[in-house]
């Protein structure tokens, strides 16, 4: 049971939450168009990062749409306020979405930083295992947020341990690869660390909201927090990684305009023997 179900909402509270959900899934749809349309601006080895951003956009779009429709069916206007109707609202869908997005977002980091081979496999496995452990232990804890009984605190604390492990791994991955990267992208790569730290910290903040602000306004604050976290950790993060990939590609001589020519040989599509020329 989530604490959203324990209140009635005035017109403003209910409507703001509805609008914030809409902003969330609209941002994911916009991000999807951006990542699909700009992936060719980078060298092929970085394009998988844009594809993975698109995967994140689709899963988050669907999750936020579901949660938004659920908000509408869980509360109805009774003439004075929006009060509980037959269905129960649940944030659990978010956790299921994170179990896709957390490993994928961290994999993108490895791709854009140019981590390959055994280091990539090791990084990918540790990110995925620690990420899923963080999400699923938190998922168990959030079922107890209304009573805030022991499982809420215990599972939340276990999840935090995995979160801290992930932060150390991300910090080391980013700062350990910095020297290998062209000078002109290093400040952007440091920016990825600060963006990730800020946006990911919002999620435990939202988990704790019932304990900090147990009211209808607390619900509004929590859903705004989630939306800011979703847009920054998925869309802004993806745009930043794409910008870094584009700059590294340019540094290595990649020019998107001529890259498009190379895929279309001069002699036409039937002339398969002709290599791409400019
Ligand atoms: C939980 C439970 C309470 C303790 C902590 C948590 C951390 C959650 C995080 C989620 C990140 C989600 C992302 C989703 C993007 O799509 C599970 C709320 C520490 C960090 C980045």
């Amino acid at each position: 049971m989530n604490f959203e179900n324990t209140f009635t909402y005035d017109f403003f509270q209910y409507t703001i939450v509805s609008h914030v959900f809409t902003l969330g899934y609209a941002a994911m749809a916009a991000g999807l168009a951006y990542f699909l349309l700009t992936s060719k601006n980078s060298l092929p080895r970085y394009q998988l990062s844009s594809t993975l951003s698109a995967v994140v956009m689709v899963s988050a779009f669907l999750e936020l749409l579901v949660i938004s429709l659920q908000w509408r069916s869980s509360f109805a206007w009774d003439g004075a306020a929006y009060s509980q109707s037959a269905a129960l609202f649940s944030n659990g869908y978010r956790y299921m979405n994170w179990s896709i997005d957390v490993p994928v977002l961290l994999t993108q980091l490895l791709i854009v930083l140019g981590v390959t081979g055994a280091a990539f496999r090791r990084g990918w496995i540790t990110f995925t295992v620690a990420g899923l452990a963080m999400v699923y232990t938190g998922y168990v804890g959030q079922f107890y947020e209304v009573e805030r009984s022991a499982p809420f605190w215990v599972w939340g604390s276990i999840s935090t341990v995995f979160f801290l492990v992930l932060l150390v791994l991300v910090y080391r991955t980013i700062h350990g690869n910095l020297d290998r990267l062209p000078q002109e992208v290093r400040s952007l790569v440091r920016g990825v660390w600060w963006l990730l730290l800020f946006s990911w910290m919002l999620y435990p903040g939202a988990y704790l909201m019932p304990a900090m602000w147990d009211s209808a306004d607390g619900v509004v604050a929590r859903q705004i927090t989630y939306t800011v976290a979703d847009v920054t950790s998925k869309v802004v993060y993806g745009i930043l990684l794409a910008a870094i990939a584009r700059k590294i590609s340019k540094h290595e001589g990649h020019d998107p305009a001529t890259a498009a020519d190379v895929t279309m040989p001069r002699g036409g599509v039937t002339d398969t023997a002709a290599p791409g020329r400019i």
Side-chain angles (χ1 to χ4, degrees), residues 23-38:
L23 170 67
Y25 65 76
M28 301 305 147
L32 178 64
Y34 178 84
F35 294 120
L36 290 180
L37 293 172
T38 59

Side-chain angles (χ1 to χ4, degrees), residues 56 59-60 63 94-95 97-102 105 133-139 141-142 152 155-164 166 196 199-208 226 229-230 233-234:
V56 168
S59 74
E63 176 254 320
R94 293 187 180 277
Y95 289 70
N97 168 254
W98 303 341
S99 61
I100 300 173
D101 289 356
V102 165
L105 291 168
M134 174 188 82
V135 171
Y136 292 139
T137 49
Y139 175 71
Q142 56 89 38
F152 174 76
W155 289 110
S157 306
I158 298 173
S159 175
T160 305
V161 173
F162 289 112
F163 180 47
L164 294 175
L166 269 186
L196 190 142
S199 58
W200 286 42
M201 295 272 285
L202 295 173
Y203 292 101
Y207 182 94
L208 285 175
Y226 272 138
D230 283 343
S233 75
K234 301 176 215 256

Side-chain angles (χ1 to χ4, degrees), residues 178 182-194 240 244:
L178 216 50
Q183 192 69 49
E184 63 263 34
V185 297
R186 289 187 195 162
S187 57
L188 282 184
V189 174
R190 281 191 209 98
V192 173
W193 162 252
W194 291 111
L240 191 53
I244 292 168

Side-chain angles (χ1 to χ4, degrees), residues 196-236:
L196 190 142
L197 186 65
F198 162 78
S199 58
W200 286 42
M201 295 272 285
L202 295 173
Y203 292 101
Y207 182 94
L208 285 175
M209 199 66 83
M212 299 186 302
W213 197 354
D214 193 11
S215 70
D217 284 334
V219 168
V220 178
R222 162 142 100 167
Q223 296 304 335
I224 292 174
T225 304
Y226 272 138
T227 304
V228 173
D230 283 343
V231 173
T232 49
S233 75
K234 301 176 215 256
V235 186
V236 180

